[in-house]
Amino acid sequence: GGVSTAPGEGIEPEQARLWGLGQVAGLEWPAGWGGLVDIGPGWDVPALLGALASGEDQLAVRDGGVLARRLLRAPAASGRTWSPRGTVLVTGGTGGIGRHLARWLAESGAERLVLVSRSGSAEGLSDLPVPVSVVACDVADREALAAVVAGVAGDLRAVVHAAGVAAYRPIAELSVEELEDVVRAKELGARWLDELTADLDLDAFVLFSSGAATWGGASQGAYAVGNAYLDALAVDRRGRGLPATSLAWG
């Protein structure tokens, strides 16, 4: 359940983390890495053996056969656009990306910004043309984040989850503590935002992910784990009829 092979097929965000880590392992250990196989309901031993002997390194075994992963050009956009409105909540809102994002949102139609960060510093954002609230909050703390969401729930139209930290270390040198530190805000923040806004009528729920979760990134194992969770959560939300977009930054 770590990957979804077709629209409507379920996905488990927790399992997707392992797929993200595996892609990085394939880059760091090219001579010894066999690949990734996602086993779904209805699989059988012959299909699995065929997958292992296929020469492919990213496969999904389903009751309809074995599927190999391919990168394809997306179809042309359908013409849908999104213009921010009402209140927009941004996690990581005072960081480097968050500041650029806050300015774009303010100039594109958002009527109020709630910028959430651990530091709560609003330096450099005083000239925005809309009201800005900067809230100090650890987004991995569900209770604290719930209080922030409850305070704006009546006007909240969009959520952008840009919180997170990056670390560069090969998997063989990665400690459990460092892995937890990298994925904590990214994964738990997304999980709590999903739960806390599920009943709200949002226009957009945007997750800032990374190419490391799409095709791997050497020495970015921890980062790939956290972002693979975000990608899978977006798929899961769409399967529940909720808005979700995951942006894989390069």
Side-chain angles (χ1 to χ4, degrees):
V3 297
S4 178
T5 63
E9 183 179 85
I11 191 169
E12 295 291 339
E14 289 79 8
Q15 292 289 80
R17 297 180 298 186
L18 294 175
W19 190 275
L21 185 66
Q23 291 183 108
V24 176
L27 296 176
E28 293 182 358
W29 305 325
W33 180 250
L36 290 158
V37 181
D38 186 89
I39 298 174
W43 72 280
D44 55 37
V45 172
L48 177 58
L49 293 177
L52 296 177
S54 69
E56 297 280 350
D57 69 347
Q58 294 186 40
L59 294 158
V61 179
R62 299 293 188 264
D63 55 4
V66 178
L67 303 168
R69 191 180 188 216
R70 292 292 184 268
L71 185 66
L72 302 176
R73 183 176 296 277
S78 63
R80 291 178 301 168
T81 60
W82 172 56
S83 296
R85 60 177 180 142
T87 297
V88 180
L89 185 151
V90 183
T91 69
T94 63
I97 291 176
R99 290 170 187 271
H100 285 290
L101 182 61
R103 193 165 298 279
W104 179 84
L105 288 166
E107 295 172 352
S108 300
E111 298 160 34
R112 180 191 174 195
L113 299 178
V114 178
L115 308 180
V116 180
S117 73
R118 280 188 288 188
S119 67
S121 171
E123 183 180 351
L125 297 172
S126 59
D127 63 334
L128 295 185
V130 300
V132 178
S133 300
V134 179
V135 183
C137 172
D138 179 357
V139 297
D141 183 333
R142 190 186 191 283
E143 185 175 343
L145 189 58
V148 175
V149 173
V152 297
D155 301 312
L156 190 62
R157 303 303 307 175
V159 168
V160 182
H161 182 44
V165 296
Y168 299 90
R169 193 178 301 281
I171 292 174
E173 302 173 10
L174 188 65
S175 69
V176 174
E177 292 75 19
E178 186 171 20
L179 176 61
E180 181 180 357
D181 182 60
V182 172
V183 305
R184 184 174 178 271
K186 193 169 277 287
E187 181 178 318
L188 289 179
R191 181 185 300 178
W192 304 148
L193 286 169
D194 172 44
E195 292 183 6
L196 295 168
T197 66
D199 295 331
L200 302 181
D201 184 20
L202 297 181
D203 297 330
F205 186 95
V206 183
L207 303 165
F208 274 36
S209 180
S210 167
T214 303
W215 48 60
S219 296
Q220 289 186 288
Y223 203 54
V225 168
N227 287 298
Y229 181 92
L230 299 193
D231 293 345
L233 180 62
V235 174
D236 180 60
R237 278 182 59 92
R238 284 178 172 268
R240 289 182 270 137
L242 300 173
T245 302
S246 188
L247 299 176
W249 292 88

